[in-house]
Amino acid sequence: MNAHPPHIWTDWQAQQRAARISSADLLAAVGLSAADFPAGVIAAPEFPLSVPPHFLSLIRPGDRHDPLLRQVLARGEEAAPQPGRLTDPLAEADYRAAPGLLRKYRSRALLIASGACAIHCRYCFRRHQDYGETMLTRSREAEALAAIAADSLIDEVILSGGDPLSLPDARLAALVTAIAAIGHVTTLRLHSRTLTTIPDRVTPALLALLAGTRLRVVIVAHSNHANEISAEVAAALGRLRAAGITLFNQSVLLAGVNNDAATIAAHCRRLFAAGVLPYYMHLTDPVAGAAHFDVGEAEARRIEAGLRGLLPGYLVPRFVREVPGREAKTPLADLS
Ligand SMILES: *Cc1c(COP(=O)(O)O)cnc(C)c1O
Ligand code: SF4
């Protein structure tokens, strides 16, 4: 069923380019049709489809409920009227400290290192962003780095996006070198969905670059279901671990993907087997077009309690919601 056997793809940038796919081709690749979805499928959505070949190969053919397919297929539900839902649900525009730099929390600064992602997740809270305005570009880099250098409270710089691992190695290396030159920064963190969607991104050059910096390196992988942690993904994560990098995973609690304790427990165990600890389980943000992924707070509390019975404490992710204006992410238990 898969038009692109994963083994022929070794060039990660070619995989990134090959990820653009039409709704019709995605459905054909997994042996389904629009008629399998009660609210239909959007043929040409404004936020276009993007599904890297490796991720596509992990979708079970013929299963319209497949949890990976649900994350990438533009279903008719996206077009339903969604009153009260926002295009910038986190009010991120309020936290722009310099172009490309978000400063919400005291000790950590976040760089929007890239506006691109290999995969397009239908639940994405940044799906409506015009990255042209907010992204870090080479010409704006100096201003953002100067703002970090001027503030000694910042000891951790987070590369996010979009996806920072969609950048070529040379650009990433230049950025890491510039950050390492700021004396009070001790830790470099990358948030990336690429590790689990294009595991070939973990090239020897990337490993050398991350192992070679004076900074402590933390990577927070983004994945939502055990089926995403293939043997290839586990091997890529293992290479990062062997290079001395600390690995975490964050997920989004998504209806129809991972909204039950047994599914999350299986995912957390698979992650741990690959040397990765669960970090956050995010409740969805009220972004327009993604209401069909929402899991209510009451259900989230039941799932969290269920997980405590299934997993050792160190494998239970922290259930949180992003509340604009707070000093840190808010634990589910503290939400009213
Ligand atoms: C989530 C986030 C961080 C990191 O928060 P941690 O709790 O340290 O993971 C930093 N900056 C912004 C803007 C964030 O949204
Ligand atoms: S990888 Fe992250 S930023 Fe990119 S589309 Fe998915 S959720 Fe959004």
Side-chain angles (χ1 to χ4, degrees), residues 47 117 119-121 123-124 131 161-163 193 222:
F47 183 52
C117 302
I119 187 169
H120 285 180
C121 313
Y123 55 84
C124 182
Y131 280 110
D163 197 312
R193 187 127 171 69
H222 291 197

Side-chain angles (χ1 to χ4, degrees), residues 96 98-101 112-116 126-141 161-162:
R96 215 166 285 149
L101 179 68
I112 310 275
S114 160
R126 293 199 170 117
R127 55 184 286 164
H128 301 282
Q129 268 205 19
D130 175 8
Y131 280 110
E133 222 181 281
T134 56
M135 207 180 95
L136 191 73
T137 57
R138 235 172 281 215
S139 58
R140 293 168 181 160
E141 195 174 298

